[in-house]
Amino acid sequence: MKKLVIALGGNALGNTPYEQLALVTGTAQPIADLIEAGNQVIIAHGNGPQVGMINLAMSTAANAKAIKSDMPFPECGAMSQGYIGYHLQNSIQNELKKRGIRKSVATVVTQVLVNEQDPAFQHPTKPIGAFYSKEEADKIAAEKGYTMVEDAGRGYRQVVPSPKPVDVVEKDMVNTLIDAGHVVITVGGGGIPVIEKDGKLLGVPAVIDKDFASAKLAELVDADALVILTAVDRVAINWGKPDQKELEVMTCEEAERYCKEGHFAPGSMLPKVQAAMSFARTGKEAIIASLENAAAALRGESGTKVIQ
């Protein structure tokens, strides 16, 4: 039996509640395969489209005076954890029941500690929410103090910091549930970023990369493996070129070199490889694989294994 942290990529989730519910029904099957094989499974997931949608809905409602104020970003992250977690636990629970497996599935709304001095807070880079014209963006920046930047020719968007995770506040709760035989969904969307100030935890407007949060969680709960699931079967170098090469095994040294050579796209494969490296350096194995071939990847038949 292995303790696994499974990080679900955005392809496993949808952009609307209806699309998401349909997609996670399929997502539940390979996860249930891992549970049925006797593994302890902890699930993490992204929340990019969902947290932006919630943030935009609350801002729109506030501007229309339908609600008294817009919603702070940490609270939007908490809402997305509950919303996505509900769909995942519902689908996984239904799939386990269909197979005659008696296990409870629970979502833990998770806070992730970040360092207030993290350089990311001085350089916000993570775009969220709606697109605006230059005039609208300037007005929002002046009124709310947001950092607004032009995003890929599609308009201006708010950007927030993306600090590195330092600790997972609810890690002991996650371990307690796992040790009791339950399935846990946690660090959703990278977790709710909090800083420690005057002995208290305070939520901050930021987004933690879910792959980095998953790697930190895997380290803290002493997982046997970190499995980062994405849309491709294996990591490749020279992607999209005639000499494209898929990798079955990659050492941290090789991965570092490939990152410096620019083989992996920022915001796509790069953070997955970097997160896999950070966990592999603890002496455990990290695997990057497709959702459909998760079980095969654990058997060494698919995916890319990242090792120390």
Side-chain angles (χ1 to χ4, degrees):
M1 179 176 69
K2 286 187 174 181
K3 183 187 286 188
L4 309 175
V5 170
I6 310 290
L8 292 175
N11 58 304
L13 304 169
N15 292 304
T16 69
Y18 311 103
E19 182 185 348
Q20 180 171 288
L21 191 55
L23 278 171
V24 297
T25 302
T27 301
Q29 294 170 13
I31 291 173
D33 289 342
L34 297 175
I35 297 166
E36 192 170 21
N39 297 295
Q40 294 177 312
V41 172
I42 303 166
I43 301 152
H45 61 80
N47 71 344
Q50 296 85 355
V51 75
M53 178 181 70
I54 292 166
N55 184 247
L56 175 59
M58 291 299 182
S59 296
T60 303
N63 289 337
K65 309 298 183 192
I67 57 176
K68 291 185 178 178
S69 73
D70 57 9
M71 190 65 65
F73 201 70
E75 280 76 358
C76 291
M79 287 179 173
S80 75
Q81 284 192 9
Y83 151 51
I84 299 167
Y86 154 59
H87 278 174
L88 283 170
Q89 69 190 46
N90 177 277
S91 298
I92 295 167
Q93 191 82 72
N94 287 339
E95 183 64 28
L96 293 176
K97 188 176 180 182
K98 189 168 77 177
R99 300 182 187 202
I101 300 170
R102 296 177 60 84
K103 271 185 181 289
S104 294
V105 186
T107 298
V108 176
V109 176
T110 318
Q111 302 170 94
V112 173
L113 187 68
V114 298
N115 187 340
E116 191 178 6
Q117 304 305 317
D118 191 308
F121 284 109
Q122 306 308 316
H123 304 283
T125 56
K126 192 82 171 175
I128 59 161
F131 292 90
Y132 297 95
S133 67
K134 178 78 166 66
E135 295 73 23
E136 289 170 327
D138 287 344
K139 184 181 177 187
I140 291 168
E143 287 178 357
K144 299 187 176 181
Y146 292 171
T147 303
M148 308 292 288
V149 300
E150 197 278 326
D151 184 7
R154 295 175 293 176
Y156 286 77
R157 297 174 82 189
Q158 181 189 358
V159 287
V160 296
S162 187
K164 293 289 191 297
V166 173
D167 196 8
V168 176
V169 177
E170 289 79 14
K171 60 183 179 293
D172 292 340
M173 178 64 71
V174 172
N175 254 338
T176 298
L177 289 167
I178 279 291
D179 290 345
H182 306 302
V183 179
V184 184
I185 300 159
T186 186
V187 295
I192 303 159
V194 295
I195 59 170
E196 193 162 3
K197 207 163 191 173
D198 301 325
K200 294 180 180 179
L201 296 175
L202 299 172
V204 289
V207 173
I208 302 168
D209 183 275
K210 74 103 173 68
D211 294 313
F212 289 131
S214 302
K216 177 56 69 175
L217 176 72
E219 175 193 332
L220 292 169
V221 301
D222 196 24
D224 295 299
L226 168 66
V227 185
I228 299 175
L229 299 179
T230 185
V232 295
D233 285 334
R234 284 197 165 105
V235 177
I237 54 173
N238 303 314
W239 177 261
K241 298 177 182 176
D243 56 346
Q244 177 177 318
K245 180 184 176 184
E246 293 188 345
L247 305 171
E248 292 184 26
V249 180
M250 179 168 51
T251 67
C252 287
E253 186 180 344
E254 289 169 335
E256 195 81 61
R257 186 172 78 249
Y258 295 145
C259 288
K260 286 177 181 172
E261 290 172 357
H263 286 282
F264 311 126
S268 179
M269 187 56 76
L270 181 60
K272 292 173 175 56
V273 171
Q274 290 173 328
M277 285 163 52
S278 72
F279 183 69
R281 285 187 173 122
T282 68
K284 307 287 185 67
E285 67 179 25
I287 298 166
I288 301 173
S290 66
L291 174 66
E292 297 77 14
N293 291 325
L298 278 166
R299 296 192 299 268
E301 298 165 9
S302 185
T304 299
K305 186 181 290 187
V306 182
I307 59 174
Q308 197 171 26

mmCIF file of all heavy atoms in Angstrom, residues 74-101:
data_model
loop_
_atom_site.group_PDB
_atom_site.id
_atom_site.type_symbol
_atom_site.label_atom_id
_atom_site.label_comp_id
_atom_site.label_asym_id
_atom_site.label_seq_id
_atom_site.Cartn_x
_atom_site.Cartn_y
_atom_site.Cartn_z
ATOM 1 N N PRO A 74 -9.067 35.735 -0.793
ATOM 2 C CA PRO A 74 -8.937 34.472 -0.044
ATOM 3 C C PRO A 74 -10.284 33.763 0.128
ATOM 4 O O PRO A 74 -10.362 32.531 0.055
ATOM 5 C CB PRO A 74 -8.363 34.925 1.305
ATOM 6 C CG PRO A 74 -7.651 36.193 1.007
ATOM 7 C CD PRO A 74 -8.471 36.870 -0.051
ATOM 8 N N GLU A 75 -11.348 34.545 0.347
ATOM 9 C CA GLU A 75 -12.682 33.941 0.500
ATOM 10 C C GLU A 75 -13.161 33.324 -0.818
ATOM 11 O O GLU A 75 -13.827 32.288 -0.822
ATOM 12 C CB GLU A 75 -13.678 35.001 0.995
ATOM 13 C CG GLU A 75 -13.617 35.263 2.495
ATOM 14 C CD GLU A 75 -12.434 36.113 2.935
ATOM 15 O OE1 GLU A 75 -11.593 36.510 2.090
ATOM 16 O OE2 GLU A 75 -12.319 36.377 4.147
ATOM 17 N N CYS A 76 -12.796 33.964 -1.944
ATOM 18 C CA CYS A 76 -13.138 33.375 -3.245
ATOM 19 C C CYS A 76 -12.434 32.024 -3.415
ATOM 20 O O CYS A 76 -13.015 31.065 -3.941
ATOM 21 C CB CYS A 76 -12.735 34.320 -4.380
ATOM 22 S SG CYS A 76 -13.700 35.836 -4.473
ATOM 23 N N GLY A 77 -11.175 31.951 -2.966
ATOM 24 C CA GLY A 77 -10.443 30.680 -3.020
ATOM 25 C C GLY A 77 -11.105 29.615 -2.168
ATOM 26 O O GLY A 77 -11.214 28.451 -2.574
ATOM 27 N N ALA A 78 -11.578 30.020 -0.972
ATOM 28 C CA ALA A 78 -12.269 29.068 -0.091
ATOM 29 C C ALA A 78 -13.558 28.569 -0.745
ATOM 30 O O ALA A 78 -13.881 27.372 -0.678
ATOM 31 C CB ALA A 78 -12.579 29.736 1.249
ATOM 32 N N MET A 79 -14.292 29.479 -1.382
ATOM 33 C CA MET A 79 -15.514 29.077 -2.084
ATOM 34 C C MET A 79 -15.206 28.060 -3.192
ATOM 35 O O MET A 79 -15.928 27.073 -3.367
ATOM 36 C CB MET A 79 -16.203 30.304 -2.693
ATOM 37 C CG MET A 79 -16.876 31.201 -1.698
ATOM 38 S SD MET A 79 -17.623 32.609 -2.559
ATOM 39 C CE MET A 79 -18.505 33.375 -1.191
ATOM 40 N N SER A 80 -14.129 28.308 -3.927
ATOM 41 C CA SER A 80 -13.782 27.389 -5.021
ATOM 42 C C SER A 80 -13.387 26.014 -4.485
ATOM 43 O O SER A 80 -13.697 24.990 -5.096
ATOM 44 C CB SER A 80 -12.661 27.978 -5.884
ATOM 45 O OG SER A 80 -11.413 27.905 -5.234
ATOM 46 N N GLN A 81 -12.716 25.979 -3.332
ATOM 47 C CA GLN A 81 -12.372 24.683 -2.729
ATOM 48 C C GLN A 81 -13.631 23.882 -2.414
ATOM 49 O O GLN A 81 -13.695 22.673 -2.677
ATOM 50 C CB GLN A 81 -11.565 24.891 -1.444
ATOM 51 C CG GLN A 81 -10.121 25.277 -1.661
ATOM 52 C CD GLN A 81 -9.302 25.184 -0.384
ATOM 53 O OE1 GLN A 81 -9.752 24.671 0.641
ATOM 54 N NE2 GLN A 81 -8.080 25.677 -0.437
ATOM 55 N N GLY A 82 -14.629 24.560 -1.846
ATOM 56 C CA GLY A 82 -15.867 23.866 -1.502
ATOM 57 C C GLY A 82 -16.629 23.403 -2.724
ATOM 58 O O GLY A 82 -17.127 22.265 -2.784
ATOM 59 N N TYR A 83 -16.696 24.255 -3.722
ATOM 60 C CA TYR A 83 -17.475 23.966 -4.937
ATOM 61 C C TYR A 83 -16.845 22.814 -5.738
ATOM 62 O O TYR A 83 -17.517 21.848 -6.121
ATOM 63 C CB TYR A 83 -17.585 25.281 -5.728
ATOM 64 C CG TYR A 83 -17.708 25.216 -7.219
ATOM 65 C CD1 TYR A 83 -18.654 24.416 -7.841
ATOM 66 C CD2 TYR A 83 -16.897 26.022 -8.034
ATOM 67 C CE1 TYR A 83 -18.775 24.405 -9.221
ATOM 68 C CE2 TYR A 83 -17.012 26.023 -9.404
ATOM 69 C CZ TYR A 83 -17.949 25.205 -10.004
ATOM 70 O OH TYR A 83 -18.071 25.188 -11.363
ATOM 71 N N ILE A 84 -15.532 22.901 -5.960
ATOM 72 C CA ILE A 84 -14.852 21.835 -6.703
ATOM 73 C C ILE A 84 -14.790 20.559 -5.862
ATOM 74 O O ILE A 84 -14.996 19.448 -6.360
ATOM 75 C CB ILE A 84 -13.439 22.281 -7.124
ATOM 76 C CG1 ILE A 84 -13.510 23.513 -8.031
ATOM 77 C CG2 ILE A 84 -12.697 21.144 -7.825
ATOM 78 C CD1 ILE A 84 -12.180 24.214 -8.241
ATOM 79 N N GLY A 85 -14.503 20.727 -4.566
ATOM 80 C CA GLY A 85 -14.429 19.570 -3.672
ATOM 81 C C GLY A 85 -15.727 18.792 -3.630
ATOM 82 O O GLY A 85 -15.729 17.555 -3.649
ATOM 83 N N TYR A 86 -16.850 19.512 -3.596
ATOM 84 C CA TYR A 86 -18.169 18.854 -3.598
ATOM 85 C C TYR A 86 -18.325 17.981 -4.833
ATOM 86 O O TYR A 86 -18.737 16.811 -4.753
ATOM 87 C CB TYR A 86 -19.280 19.915 -3.527
ATOM 88 C CG TYR A 86 -20.594 19.482 -4.124
ATOM 89 C CD1 TYR A 86 -21.277 18.365 -3.644
ATOM 90 C CD2 TYR A 86 -21.163 20.188 -5.180
ATOM 91 C CE1 TYR A 86 -22.481 17.960 -4.199
ATOM 92 C CE2 TYR A 86 -22.363 19.793 -5.741
ATOM 93 C CZ TYR A 86 -23.021 18.683 -5.257
ATOM 94 O OH TYR A 86 -24.208 18.279 -5.817
ATOM 95 N N HIS A 87 -17.993 18.515 -6.007
ATOM 96 C CA HIS A 87 -18.130 17.729 -7.236
ATOM 97 C C HIS A 87 -17.212 16.506 -7.231
ATOM 98 O O HIS A 87 -17.618 15.410 -7.625
ATOM 99 C CB HIS A 87 -17.828 18.609 -8.452
ATOM 100 C CG HIS A 87 -18.973 19.454 -8.886
ATOM 101 N ND1 HIS A 87 -18.896 20.410 -9.869
ATOM 102 C CD2 HIS A 87 -20.263 19.490 -8.457
ATOM 103 C CE1 HIS A 87 -20.070 20.997 -10.034
ATOM 104 N NE2 HIS A 87 -20.911 20.462 -9.188
ATOM 105 N N LEU A 88 -15.969 16.702 -6.776
ATOM 106 C CA LEU A 88 -15.021 15.582 -6.747
ATOM 107 C C LEU A 88 -15.448 14.515 -5.750
ATOM 108 O O LEU A 88 -15.461 13.316 -6.068
ATOM 109 C CB LEU A 88 -13.619 16.081 -6.405
ATOM 110 C CG LEU A 88 -12.835 16.769 -7.524
ATOM 111 C CD1 LEU A 88 -11.570 17.425 -6.973
ATOM 112 C CD2 LEU A 88 -12.464 15.767 -8.619
ATOM 113 N N GLN A 89 -15.803 14.929 -4.519
ATOM 114 C CA GLN A 89 -16.136 13.915 -3.512
ATOM 115 C C GLN A 89 -17.429 13.192 -3.872
ATOM 116 O O GLN A 89 -17.570 11.983 -3.631
ATOM 117 C CB GLN A 89 -16.205 14.527 -2.113
ATOM 118 C CG GLN A 89 -17.340 15.473 -1.835
ATOM 119 C CD GLN A 89 -17.168 16.197 -0.494
ATOM 120 O OE1 GLN A 89 -16.089 16.694 -0.175
ATOM 121 N NE2 GLN A 89 -18.219 16.257 0.281
ATOM 122 N N ASN A 90 -18.358 13.909 -4.476
ATOM 123 C CA ASN A 90 -19.611 13.295 -4.918
ATOM 124 C C ASN A 90 -19.339 12.223 -5.976
ATOM 125 O O ASN A 90 -19.833 11.089 -5.890
ATOM 126 C CB ASN A 90 -20.537 14.390 -5.466
ATOM 127 C CG ASN A 90 -21.832 13.846 -6.015
ATOM 128 O OD1 ASN A 90 -21.893 13.412 -7.154
ATOM 129 N ND2 ASN A 90 -22.887 13.884 -5.208
ATOM 130 N N SER A 91 -18.524 12.573 -6.976
ATOM 131 C CA SER A 91 -18.251 11.644 -8.081
ATOM 132 C C SER A 91 -17.413 10.453 -7.634
ATOM 133 O O SER A 91 -17.678 9.309 -8.025
ATOM 134 C CB SER A 91 -17.532 12.391 -9.215
ATOM 135 O OG SER A 91 -18.344 13.416 -9.717
ATOM 136 N N ILE A 92 -16.390 10.719 -6.800
ATOM 137 C CA ILE A 92 -15.542 9.614 -6.328
ATOM 138 C C ILE A 92 -16.335 8.692 -5.413
ATOM 139 O O ILE A 92 -16.234 7.465 -5.508
ATOM 140 C CB ILE A 92 -14.280 10.175 -5.622
ATOM 141 C CG1 ILE A 92 -13.410 10.937 -6.619
ATOM 142 C CG2 ILE A 92 -13.477 9.042 -4.969
ATOM 143 C CD1 ILE A 92 -12.324 11.779 -5.988
ATOM 144 N N GLN A 93 -17.141 9.282 -4.530
ATOM 145 C CA GLN A 93 -17.967 8.475 -3.622
ATOM 146 C C GLN A 93 -18.921 7.584 -4.410
ATOM 147 O O GLN A 93 -19.079 6.392 -4.119
ATOM 148 C CB GLN A 93 -18.775 9.398 -2.700
ATOM 149 C CG GLN A 93 -19.469 8.661 -1.552
ATOM 150 C CD GLN A 93 -18.533 8.394 -0.393
ATOM 151 O OE1 GLN A 93 -18.170 9.310 0.327
ATOM 152 N NE2 GLN A 93 -18.147 7.145 -0.202
ATOM 153 N N ASN A 94 -19.553 8.149 -5.446
ATOM 154 C CA ASN A 94 -20.478 7.367 -6.277
ATOM 155 C C ASN A 94 -19.756 6.226 -6.988
ATOM 156 O O ASN A 94 -20.276 5.105 -7.085
ATOM 157 C CB ASN A 94 -21.163 8.266 -7.310
ATOM 158 C CG ASN A 94 -22.214 9.168 -6.693
ATOM 159 O OD1 ASN A 94 -22.715 8.900 -5.604
ATOM 160 N ND2 ASN A 94 -22.559 10.241 -7.385
ATOM 161 N N GLU A 95 -18.545 6.504 -7.491
ATOM 162 C CA GLU A 95 -17.773 5.481 -8.202
ATOM 163 C C GLU A 95 -17.343 4.366 -7.243
ATOM 164 O O GLU A 95 -17.412 3.176 -7.586
ATOM 165 C CB GLU A 95 -16.553 6.117 -8.866
ATOM 166 C CG GLU A 95 -15.700 5.165 -9.695
ATOM 167 C CD GLU A 95 -16.422 4.577 -10.900
ATOM 168 O OE1 GLU A 95 -17.340 5.232 -11.440
ATOM 169 O OE2 GLU A 95 -16.060 3.442 -11.296
ATOM 170 N N LEU A 96 -16.932 4.725 -6.031
ATOM 171 C CA LEU A 96 -16.534 3.710 -5.044
ATOM 172 C C LEU A 96 -17.728 2.853 -4.635
ATOM 173 O O LEU A 96 -17.618 1.628 -4.505
ATOM 174 C CB LEU A 96 -15.919 4.386 -3.814
ATOM 175 C CG LEU A 96 -14.584 5.109 -4.013
ATOM 176 C CD1 LEU A 96 -14.154 5.797 -2.726
ATOM 177 C CD2 LEU A 96 -13.492 4.143 -4.491
ATOM 178 N N LYS A 97 -18.859 3.503 -4.447
ATOM 179 C CA LYS A 97 -20.081 2.774 -4.058
ATOM 180 C C LYS A 97 -20.468 1.776 -5.135
ATOM 181 O O LYS A 97 -20.868 0.643 -4.845
ATOM 182 C CB LYS A 97 -21.213 3.774 -3.810
ATOM 183 C CG LYS A 97 -22.472 3.148 -3.228
ATOM 184 C CD LYS A 97 -23.516 4.215 -2.910
ATOM 185 C CE LYS A 97 -24.778 3.580 -2.324
ATOM 186 N NZ LYS A 97 -25.826 4.601 -2.060
ATOM 187 N N LYS A 98 -20.336 2.200 -6.397
ATOM 188 C CA LYS A 98 -20.661 1.331 -7.527
ATOM 189 C C LYS A 98 -19.781 0.080 -7.522
ATOM 190 O O LYS A 98 -20.198 -0.999 -7.924
ATOM 191 C CB LYS A 98 -20.465 2.115 -8.831
ATOM 192 C CG LYS A 98 -20.976 1.409 -10.067
ATOM 193 C CD LYS A 98 -21.019 2.364 -11.258
ATOM 194 C CE LYS A 98 -19.639 2.570 -11.820
ATOM 195 N NZ LYS A 98 -19.655 3.434 -13.037
ATOM 196 N N ARG A 99 -18.548 0.227 -7.010
ATOM 197 C CA ARG A 99 -17.601 -0.888 -6.968
ATOM 198 C C ARG A 99 -17.678 -1.671 -5.654
ATOM 199 O O ARG A 99 -16.900 -2.591 -5.434
ATOM 200 C CB ARG A 99 -16.172 -0.363 -7.156
ATOM 201 C CG ARG A 99 -15.948 0.354 -8.472
ATOM 202 C CD ARG A 99 -14.518 0.806 -8.617
ATOM 203 N NE ARG A 99 -14.328 1.641 -9.795
ATOM 204 C CZ ARG A 99 -13.165 1.834 -10.402
ATOM 205 N NH1 ARG A 99 -12.070 1.238 -9.923
ATOM 206 N NH2 ARG A 99 -13.066 2.609 -11.454
ATOM 207 N N GLY A 100 -18.579 -1.247 -4.781
ATOM 208 C CA GLY A 100 -18.722 -1.942 -3.502
ATOM 209 C C GLY A 100 -17.625 -1.627 -2.503
ATOM 210 O O GLY A 100 -17.352 -2.417 -1.587
ATOM 211 N N ILE A 101 -16.981 -0.461 -2.670
ATOM 212 C CA ILE A 101 -15.898 -0.054 -1.765
ATOM 213 C C ILE A 101 -16.461 0.917 -0.736
ATOM 214 O O ILE A 101 -16.990 1.968 -1.093
ATOM 215 C CB ILE A 101 -14.743 0.612 -2.544
ATOM 216 C CG1 ILE A 101 -14.164 -0.373 -3.567
ATOM 217 C CG2 ILE A 101 -13.651 1.095 -1.590
ATOM 218 C CD1 ILE A 101 -13.191 0.250 -4.551
#
